Amino acid sequence: MNNRYFALSLATLCLSTSAIAASDDASPSQNAMRDTLAYEITEGLTTEVGQRQGGTEAEQRGRDWAVAKLNALGFANVREEKFDMPTWVRGEEKAWVISPFQNVMAAAALGNSGSTGAKPFEGEVIYFRTFDDLVAAPDARVAGKIVFVDHQMKRAQDGSGYGQFGRARFIGPNIAAKKGAAAILIRSIGTDSHRGPHTGNTNFEAGVKPIPAAAISNPDADNLTRQVMRAKTPVKVRLLLTPQNLGQQKSGNVIAEVPGSDPSLPPIVIACHLDSWDLGTGAIDDASGCGIITAAASYLQNRPAPKRTVRLLWAGAEEVGIWGGKDYAEKHKGTPHALAMESDFGADRVWRVDFKLPDSAKPLADRIASKLASLGITRGKDPASGGADVAAIIAAQDLAVIDLQQDGTRYFDLHHTPDDTLDKVDPEQMRQNVIAWTMVLEEVANYAGDLSMGPKS
Ligand code: ZN
Ligand code: ZN
């Protein structure tokens, strides 16, 4: 339905610009209407590098690939900014129901999970329908057991279920560990019904010993729930997880710029993340985002330069703790920025724009919203907040933000699973992202007015 609407609006736009023959005479957003670069970048990164988990050698190959690509595309000041970060890597992972029923489950360890050791752990399952039920449970019920949190995420266009249901992954293992649980299984934080489990990071507080923690696929969670409900005796599970902590390893950000003509104007920073989880090839999360922002910025090159510098941040190690975004803010908080944006929600179409701009820039927001309306994009009512990799620099400088919100209806079918691969990227929807991004950058990079948010009231 959305695709068809988008195809119609794109066809209308293409007709209205069909008189443009030479790309050199066209505006950046007119050139973006023929974009294939975003897909080429996504295809290249996923094909030539593949998975690229933060802190690993694969991520370094990704940075090398990015530096070569951004140089080849003619960007200025292409560079790597390295940092150290604690690195966890997956080992063997298997989970079986052994009593009173028997089956093998599809499981994936969560980032920072503890290890069972080489010998599988066997224990009784204690079932919690929701995350809040786990929080409310007395320690004595949980101690020594394998916690199973059956919290089921719901599909939403804006992906809003992630924050609520994601708690089972973000902090569920820490809570279970503090209550004395031996291990924890969670229903995958995802909206699909496939057997690919959804991995993702979890965190244990200092002083809390990490317990083995894994996500099981949604159909396996359905089955385990039925087994728990039907069993006359406690359900027992055998679990083998052998991840390792490699200590401090190198990660890094890759930075590139389209230089502005007026060095007195602070730059605009646009971000994606270069790293991915290790189960798929990170096509939607987040090679697509890097493709989208890079393609859009490329259309500002070879023109009269934009007034403001547009800086691309291909952040490292986002999945495993947003290390790249924090390192960027630490290294660059001393120099003023004007505005931040990020693409990290797949490659499906942009459906809404949100702004956080000073009141003085209302005409700028109105102009952008009016242009984006031609792509079927509506104007949101809530202020923009930005993505994970720009969160630290936004907080450090109280930056202006524009969010191009993507359709997340199917994002959490694929997120952090073995199914996050290139075939899930729809080139037409991806091109609509590039057009929208280019329209916004054309406006903000040429806006010489003050974008600082001013003192908080
Ligand atoms: Zn991401
Ligand atoms: Zn992710």
PDB file of all heavy atoms in Angstrom, residues 66-95:
ATOM      1  N   ALA A  66      35.304   1.725   3.661  1.00  0.00           N
ATOM      2  CA  ALA A  66      34.626   3.028   3.701  1.00  0.00           C
ATOM      3  C   ALA A  66      35.576   4.155   3.300  1.00  0.00           C
ATOM      4  O   ALA A  66      35.211   5.053   2.529  1.00  0.00           O
ATOM      5  CB  ALA A  66      34.064   3.282   5.102  1.00  0.00           C
ATOM      6  N   VAL A  67      36.800   4.119   3.823  1.00  0.00           N
ATOM      7  CA  VAL A  67      37.773   5.173   3.490  1.00  0.00           C
ATOM      8  C   VAL A  67      38.040   5.176   1.985  1.00  0.00           C
ATOM      9  O   VAL A  67      38.023   6.233   1.337  1.00  0.00           O
ATOM     10  CB  VAL A  67      39.090   4.964   4.289  1.00  0.00           C
ATOM     11  CG1 VAL A  67      40.223   5.819   3.728  1.00  0.00           C
ATOM     12  CG2 VAL A  67      38.863   5.292   5.770  1.00  0.00           C
ATOM     13  N   ALA A  68      38.232   3.998   1.409  1.00  0.00           N
ATOM     14  CA  ALA A  68      38.495   3.918  -0.032  1.00  0.00           C
ATOM     15  C   ALA A  68      37.292   4.426  -0.827  1.00  0.00           C
ATOM     16  O   ALA A  68      37.437   5.171  -1.801  1.00  0.00           O
ATOM     17  CB  ALA A  68      38.828   2.467  -0.415  1.00  0.00           C
ATOM     18  N   LYS A  69      36.099   4.037  -0.401  1.00  0.00           N
ATOM     19  CA  LYS A  69      34.891   4.419  -1.139  1.00  0.00           C
ATOM     20  C   LYS A  69      34.660   5.935  -1.071  1.00  0.00           C
ATOM     21  O   LYS A  69      34.357   6.584  -2.080  1.00  0.00           O
ATOM     22  CB  LYS A  69      33.681   3.674  -0.540  1.00  0.00           C
ATOM     23  CG  LYS A  69      32.409   3.835  -1.324  1.00  0.00           C
ATOM     24  CD  LYS A  69      32.544   3.089  -2.635  1.00  0.00           C
ATOM     25  CE  LYS A  69      31.303   3.132  -3.482  1.00  0.00           C
ATOM     26  NZ  LYS A  69      31.529   2.422  -4.766  1.00  0.00           N
ATOM     27  N   LEU A  70      34.791   6.491   0.141  1.00  0.00           N
ATOM     28  CA  LEU A  70      34.524   7.928   0.315  1.00  0.00           C
ATOM     29  C   LEU A  70      35.565   8.758  -0.426  1.00  0.00           C
ATOM     30  O   LEU A  70      35.238   9.801  -1.005  1.00  0.00           O
ATOM     31  CB  LEU A  70      34.479   8.269   1.813  1.00  0.00           C
ATOM     32  CG  LEU A  70      33.270   7.660   2.546  1.00  0.00           C
ATOM     33  CD1 LEU A  70      33.498   7.646   4.060  1.00  0.00           C
ATOM     34  CD2 LEU A  70      31.990   8.423   2.216  1.00  0.00           C
ATOM     35  N   ASN A  71      36.805   8.294  -0.465  1.00  0.00           N
ATOM     36  CA  ASN A  71      37.825   8.977  -1.268  1.00  0.00           C
ATOM     37  C   ASN A  71      37.492   8.881  -2.756  1.00  0.00           C
ATOM     38  O   ASN A  71      37.572   9.869  -3.478  1.00  0.00           O
ATOM     39  CB  ASN A  71      39.208   8.380  -0.995  1.00  0.00           C
ATOM     40  CG  ASN A  71      39.891   9.032   0.214  1.00  0.00           C
ATOM     41  OD1 ASN A  71      39.837  10.248   0.391  1.00  0.00           O
ATOM     42  ND2 ASN A  71      40.506   8.215   1.054  1.00  0.00           N
ATOM     43  N   ALA A  72      37.110   7.699  -3.171  1.00  0.00           N
ATOM     44  CA  ALA A  72      36.796   7.511  -4.600  1.00  0.00           C
ATOM     45  C   ALA A  72      35.624   8.385  -5.021  1.00  0.00           C
ATOM     46  O   ALA A  72      35.543   8.815  -6.172  1.00  0.00           O
ATOM     47  CB  ALA A  72      36.490   6.034  -4.867  1.00  0.00           C
ATOM     48  N   LEU A  73      34.716   8.653  -4.093  1.00  0.00           N
ATOM     49  CA  LEU A  73      33.549   9.491  -4.403  1.00  0.00           C
ATOM     50  C   LEU A  73      33.883  10.980  -4.352  1.00  0.00           C
ATOM     51  O   LEU A  73      33.024  11.827  -4.610  1.00  0.00           O
ATOM     52  CB  LEU A  73      32.398   9.180  -3.437  1.00  0.00           C
ATOM     53  CG  LEU A  73      31.737   7.797  -3.628  1.00  0.00           C
ATOM     54  CD1 LEU A  73      30.806   7.465  -2.455  1.00  0.00           C
ATOM     55  CD2 LEU A  73      30.965   7.738  -4.947  1.00  0.00           C
ATOM     56  N   GLY A  74      35.104  11.311  -3.972  1.00  0.00           N
ATOM     57  CA  GLY A  74      35.541  12.697  -4.023  1.00  0.00           C
ATOM     58  C   GLY A  74      35.278  13.511  -2.771  1.00  0.00           C
ATOM     59  O   GLY A  74      35.411  14.749  -2.791  1.00  0.00           O
ATOM     60  N   PHE A  75      34.931  12.857  -1.685  1.00  0.00           N
ATOM     61  CA  PHE A  75      34.713  13.615  -0.440  1.00  0.00           C
ATOM     62  C   PHE A  75      36.043  14.139   0.085  1.00  0.00           C
ATOM     63  O   PHE A  75      37.101  13.580  -0.197  1.00  0.00           O
ATOM     64  CB  PHE A  75      34.035  12.736   0.621  1.00  0.00           C
ATOM     65  CG  PHE A  75      32.584  12.485   0.329  1.00  0.00           C
ATOM     66  CD1 PHE A  75      32.170  11.295  -0.263  1.00  0.00           C
ATOM     67  CD2 PHE A  75      31.633  13.454   0.601  1.00  0.00           C
ATOM     68  CE1 PHE A  75      30.832  11.070  -0.559  1.00  0.00           C
ATOM     69  CE2 PHE A  75      30.290  13.237   0.315  1.00  0.00           C
ATOM     70  CZ  PHE A  75      29.892  12.039  -0.267  1.00  0.00           C
ATOM     71  N   ALA A  76      35.983  15.225   0.860  1.00  0.00           N
ATOM     72  CA  ALA A  76      37.185  15.846   1.436  1.00  0.00           C
ATOM     73  C   ALA A  76      37.419  15.335   2.861  1.00  0.00           C
ATOM     74  O   ALA A  76      36.490  14.863   3.518  1.00  0.00           O
ATOM     75  CB  ALA A  76      37.005  17.365   1.460  1.00  0.00           C
ATOM     76  N   ASN A  77      38.664  15.474   3.301  1.00  0.00           N
ATOM     77  CA  ASN A  77      39.029  15.183   4.705  1.00  0.00           C
ATOM     78  C   ASN A  77      38.568  13.798   5.163  1.00  0.00           C
ATOM     79  O   ASN A  77      38.081  13.641   6.288  1.00  0.00           O
ATOM     80  CB  ASN A  77      38.467  16.248   5.651  1.00  0.00           C
ATOM     81  CG  ASN A  77      38.913  17.639   5.266  1.00  0.00           C
ATOM     82  OD1 ASN A  77      40.045  17.808   4.816  1.00  0.00           O
ATOM     83  ND2 ASN A  77      38.033  18.623   5.391  1.00  0.00           N
ATOM     84  N   VAL A  78      38.712  12.808   4.301  1.00  0.00           N
ATOM     85  CA  VAL A  78      38.312  11.438   4.667  1.00  0.00           C
ATOM     86  C   VAL A  78      39.346  10.903   5.653  1.00  0.00           C
ATOM     87  O   VAL A  78      40.550  10.961   5.392  1.00  0.00           O
ATOM     88  CB  VAL A  78      38.250  10.537   3.419  1.00  0.00           C
ATOM     89  CG1 VAL A  78      37.874   9.105   3.822  1.00  0.00           C
ATOM     90  CG2 VAL A  78      37.254  11.097   2.410  1.00  0.00           C
ATOM     91  N   ARG A  79      38.866  10.427   6.781  1.00  0.00           N
ATOM     92  CA  ARG A  79      39.809   9.957   7.800  1.00  0.00           C
ATOM     93  C   ARG A  79      39.153   8.976   8.758  1.00  0.00           C
ATOM     94  O   ARG A  79      37.928   8.926   8.882  1.00  0.00           O
ATOM     95  CB  ARG A  79      40.375  11.123   8.588  1.00  0.00           C
ATOM     96  CG  ARG A  79      39.320  11.912   9.336  1.00  0.00           C
ATOM     97  CD  ARG A  79      39.890  13.261   9.759  1.00  0.00           C
ATOM     98  NE  ARG A  79      38.995  14.008  10.619  1.00  0.00           N
ATOM     99  CZ  ARG A  79      38.017  14.817  10.167  1.00  0.00           C
ATOM    100  NH1 ARG A  79      37.770  14.929   8.870  1.00  0.00           N
ATOM    101  NH2 ARG A  79      37.263  15.489  11.015  1.00  0.00           N
ATOM    102  N   GLU A  80      40.029   8.238   9.428  1.00  0.00           N
ATOM    103  CA  GLU A  80      39.590   7.298  10.450  1.00  0.00           C
ATOM    104  C   GLU A  80      39.955   7.896  11.799  1.00  0.00           C
ATOM    105  O   GLU A  80      41.054   8.428  11.946  1.00  0.00           O
ATOM    106  CB  GLU A  80      40.399   6.017  10.258  1.00  0.00           C
ATOM    107  CG  GLU A  80      39.671   4.728  10.471  1.00  0.00           C
ATOM    108  CD  GLU A  80      40.620   3.543  10.291  1.00  0.00           C
ATOM    109  OE1 GLU A  80      41.381   3.531   9.313  1.00  0.00           O
ATOM    110  OE2 GLU A  80      40.598   2.673  11.140  1.00  0.00           O
ATOM    111  N   GLU A  81      39.059   7.822  12.763  1.00  0.00           N
ATOM    112  CA  GLU A  81      39.388   8.237  14.134  1.00  0.00           C
ATOM    113  C   GLU A  81      39.197   7.026  15.030  1.00  0.00           C
ATOM    114  O   GLU A  81      38.065   6.604  15.276  1.00  0.00           O
ATOM    115  CB  GLU A  81      38.482   9.390  14.578  1.00  0.00           C
ATOM    116  CG  GLU A  81      38.799  10.691  13.846  1.00  0.00           C
ATOM    117  CD  GLU A  81      37.965  11.883  14.315  1.00  0.00           C
ATOM    118  OE1 GLU A  81      36.990  11.680  15.075  1.00  0.00           O
ATOM    119  OE2 GLU A  81      38.285  13.012  13.902  1.00  0.00           O
ATOM    120  N   LYS A  82      40.302   6.465  15.491  1.00  0.00           N
ATOM    121  CA  LYS A  82      40.239   5.194  16.218  1.00  0.00           C
ATOM    122  C   LYS A  82      39.992   5.394  17.713  1.00  0.00           C
ATOM    123  O   LYS A  82      40.294   6.445  18.265  1.00  0.00           O
ATOM    124  CB  LYS A  82      41.548   4.433  16.025  1.00  0.00           C
ATOM    125  CG  LYS A  82      41.727   3.962  14.591  1.00  0.00           C
ATOM    126  CD  LYS A  82      42.652   2.757  14.528  1.00  0.00           C
ATOM    127  CE  LYS A  82      42.825   2.354  13.076  1.00  0.00           C
ATOM    128  NZ  LYS A  82      43.475   1.105  12.875  1.00  0.00           N
ATOM    129  N   PHE A  83      39.457   4.370  18.313  1.00  0.00           N
ATOM    130  CA  PHE A  83      39.297   4.343  19.776  1.00  0.00           C
ATOM    131  C   PHE A  83      39.327   2.894  20.228  1.00  0.00           C
ATOM    132  O   PHE A  83      39.192   1.980  19.407  1.00  0.00           O
ATOM    133  CB  PHE A  83      37.991   5.046  20.202  1.00  0.00           C
ATOM    134  CG  PHE A  83      36.766   4.529  19.493  1.00  0.00           C
ATOM    135  CD1 PHE A  83      36.093   3.408  19.958  1.00  0.00           C
ATOM    136  CD2 PHE A  83      36.288   5.165  18.348  1.00  0.00           C
ATOM    137  CE1 PHE A  83      34.971   2.932  19.305  1.00  0.00           C
ATOM    138  CE2 PHE A  83      35.168   4.687  17.676  1.00  0.00           C
ATOM    139  CZ  PHE A  83      34.506   3.569  18.160  1.00  0.00           C
ATOM    140  N   ASP A  84      39.502   2.710  21.532  1.00  0.00           N
ATOM    141  CA  ASP A  84      39.492   1.356  22.104  1.00  0.00           C
ATOM    142  C   ASP A  84      38.143   1.083  22.748  1.00  0.00           C
ATOM    143  O   ASP A  84      37.506   1.992  23.276  1.00  0.00           O
ATOM    144  CB  ASP A  84      40.589   1.229  23.177  1.00  0.00           C
ATOM    145  CG  ASP A  84      41.979   1.309  22.567  1.00  0.00           C
ATOM    146  OD1 ASP A  84      42.153   0.795  21.442  1.00  0.00           O
ATOM    147  OD2 ASP A  84      42.868   1.906  23.204  1.00  0.00           O
ATOM    148  N   MET A  85      37.737  -0.167  22.716  1.00  0.00           N
ATOM    149  CA  MET A  85      36.453  -0.538  23.333  1.00  0.00           C
ATOM    150  C   MET A  85      36.488  -2.008  23.762  1.00  0.00           C
ATOM    151  O   MET A  85      37.153  -2.826  23.153  1.00  0.00           O
ATOM    152  CB  MET A  85      35.327  -0.341  22.330  1.00  0.00           C
ATOM    153  CG  MET A  85      35.623  -0.982  20.992  1.00  0.00           C
ATOM    154  SD  MET A  85      34.148  -1.395  20.069  1.00  0.00           S
ATOM    155  CE  MET A  85      33.515  -2.754  21.006  1.00  0.00           C
ATOM    156  N   PRO A  86      35.739  -2.346  24.832  1.00  0.00           N
ATOM    157  CA  PRO A  86      35.689  -3.749  25.255  1.00  0.00           C
ATOM    158  C   PRO A  86      34.917  -4.565  24.230  1.00  0.00           C
ATOM    159  O   PRO A  86      33.881  -4.132  23.736  1.00  0.00           O
ATOM    160  CB  PRO A  86      34.938  -3.689  26.597  1.00  0.00           C
ATOM    161  CG  PRO A  86      34.147  -2.435  26.542  1.00  0.00           C
ATOM    162  CD  PRO A  86      34.895  -1.477  25.652  1.00  0.00           C
ATOM    163  N   THR A  87      35.445  -5.737  23.897  1.00  0.00           N
ATOM    164  CA  THR A  87      34.875  -6.503  22.788  1.00  0.00           C
ATOM    165  C   THR A  87      34.473  -7.906  23.229  1.00  0.00           C
ATOM    166  O   THR A  87      35.254  -8.625  23.849  1.00  0.00           O
ATOM    167  CB  THR A  87      35.900  -6.568  21.631  1.00  0.00           C
ATOM    168  OG1 THR A  87      36.192  -5.232  21.238  1.00  0.00           O
ATOM    169  CG2 THR A  87      35.348  -7.345  20.443  1.00  0.00           C
ATOM    170  N   TRP A  88      33.243  -8.242  22.905  1.00  0.00           N
ATOM    171  CA  TRP A  88      32.635  -9.540  23.226  1.00  0.00           C
ATOM    172  C   TRP A  88      32.356 -10.252  21.912  1.00  0.00           C
ATOM    173  O   TRP A  88      31.878  -9.604  20.972  1.00  0.00           O
ATOM    174  CB  TRP A  88      31.331  -9.259  23.989  1.00  0.00           C
ATOM    175  CG  TRP A  88      30.428 -10.427  24.238  1.00  0.00           C
ATOM    176  CD1 TRP A  88      30.308 -11.146  25.400  1.00  0.00           C
ATOM    177  CD2 TRP A  88      29.476 -11.003  23.326  1.00  0.00           C
ATOM    178  NE1 TRP A  88      29.353 -12.123  25.260  1.00  0.00           N
ATOM    179  CE2 TRP A  88      28.830 -12.058  23.999  1.00  0.00           C
ATOM    180  CE3 TRP A  88      29.113 -10.739  22.001  1.00  0.00           C
ATOM    181  CZ2 TRP A  88      27.835 -12.848  23.411  1.00  0.00           C
ATOM    182  CZ3 TRP A  88      28.138 -11.518  21.407  1.00  0.00           C
ATOM    183  CH2 TRP A  88      27.504 -12.567  22.110  1.00  0.00           C
ATOM    184  N   VAL A  89      32.663 -11.531  21.832  1.00  0.00           N
ATOM    185  CA  VAL A  89      32.340 -12.266  20.597  1.00  0.00           C
ATOM    186  C   VAL A  89      31.589 -13.565  20.913  1.00  0.00           C
ATOM    187  O   VAL A  89      31.804 -14.201  21.936  1.00  0.00           O
ATOM    188  CB  VAL A  89      33.587 -12.591  19.747  1.00  0.00           C
ATOM    189  CG1 VAL A  89      34.167 -11.323  19.109  1.00  0.00           C
ATOM    190  CG2 VAL A  89      34.642 -13.336  20.550  1.00  0.00           C
ATOM    191  N   ARG A  90      30.722 -13.894  19.991  1.00  0.00           N
ATOM    192  CA  ARG A  90      29.868 -15.072  20.088  1.00  0.00           C
ATOM    193  C   ARG A  90      30.701 -16.354  20.015  1.00  0.00           C
ATOM    194  O   ARG A  90      31.709 -16.419  19.315  1.00  0.00           O
ATOM    195  CB  ARG A  90      28.911 -15.015  18.887  1.00  0.00           C
ATOM    196  CG  ARG A  90      27.773 -15.947  18.826  1.00  0.00           C
ATOM    197  CD  ARG A  90      26.932 -15.668  17.564  1.00  0.00           C
ATOM    198  NE  ARG A  90      26.494 -14.277  17.517  1.00  0.00           N
ATOM    199  CZ  ARG A  90      25.522 -13.773  18.281  1.00  0.00           C
ATOM    200  NH1 ARG A  90      24.871 -14.551  19.114  1.00  0.00           N
ATOM    201  NH2 ARG A  90      25.188 -12.502  18.197  1.00  0.00           N
ATOM    202  N   GLY A  91      30.245 -17.391  20.716  1.00  0.00           N
ATOM    203  CA  GLY A  91      30.862 -18.710  20.559  1.00  0.00           C
ATOM    204  C   GLY A  91      29.824 -19.696  20.067  1.00  0.00           C
ATOM    205  O   GLY A  91      28.969 -19.349  19.244  1.00  0.00           O
ATOM    206  N   GLU A  92      29.847 -20.897  20.608  1.00  0.00           N
ATOM    207  CA  GLU A  92      28.803 -21.873  20.291  1.00  0.00           C
ATOM    208  C   GLU A  92      27.515 -21.447  20.973  1.00  0.00           C
ATOM    209  O   GLU A  92      27.549 -20.856  22.071  1.00  0.00           O
ATOM    210  CB  GLU A  92      29.195 -23.240  20.867  1.00  0.00           C
ATOM    211  CG  GLU A  92      29.987 -24.115  19.931  1.00  0.00           C
ATOM    212  CD  GLU A  92      30.011 -25.540  20.458  1.00  0.00           C
ATOM    213  OE1 GLU A  92      30.738 -25.775  21.450  1.00  0.00           O
ATOM    214  OE2 GLU A  92      29.304 -26.403  19.896  1.00  0.00           O
ATOM    215  N   GLU A  93      26.376 -21.767  20.378  1.00  0.00           N
ATOM    216  CA  GLU A  93      25.116 -21.440  21.051  1.00  0.00           C
ATOM    217  C   GLU A  93      24.053 -22.451  20.653  1.00  0.00           C
ATOM    218  O   GLU A  93      23.714 -22.595  19.487  1.00  0.00           O
ATOM    219  CB  GLU A  93      24.674 -20.003  20.753  1.00  0.00           C
ATOM    220  CG  GLU A  93      24.895 -19.541  19.337  1.00  0.00           C
ATOM    221  CD  GLU A  93      24.875 -18.023  19.232  1.00  0.00           C
ATOM    222  OE1 GLU A  93      25.076 -17.333  20.239  1.00  0.00           O
ATOM    223  OE2 GLU A  93      24.626 -17.544  18.129  1.00  0.00           O
ATOM    224  N   LYS A  94      23.587 -23.176  21.672  1.00  0.00           N
ATOM    225  CA  LYS A  94      22.557 -24.193  21.442  1.00  0.00           C
ATOM    226  C   LYS A  94      21.625 -24.206  22.638  1.00  0.00           C
ATOM    227  O   LYS A  94      22.057 -23.991  23.772  1.00  0.00           O
ATOM    228  CB  LYS A  94      23.194 -25.575  21.282  1.00  0.00           C
ATOM    229  CG  LYS A  94      23.927 -25.745  19.953  1.00  0.00           C
ATOM    230  CD  LYS A  94      24.470 -27.141  19.797  1.00  0.00           C
ATOM    231  CE  LYS A  94      25.185 -27.257  18.446  1.00  0.00           C
ATOM    232  NZ  LYS A  94      26.153 -28.346  18.433  1.00  0.00           N
ATOM    233  N   ALA A  95      20.362 -24.484  22.360  1.00  0.00           N
ATOM    234  CA  ALA A  95      19.371 -24.571  23.449  1.00  0.00           C
ATOM    235  C   ALA A  95      18.386 -25.684  23.119  1.00  0.00           C
ATOM    236  O   ALA A  95      17.871 -25.738  22.000  1.00  0.00           O
ATOM    237  CB  ALA A  95      18.645 -23.241  23.603  1.00  0.00           C
TER     238      ALA A  95
END
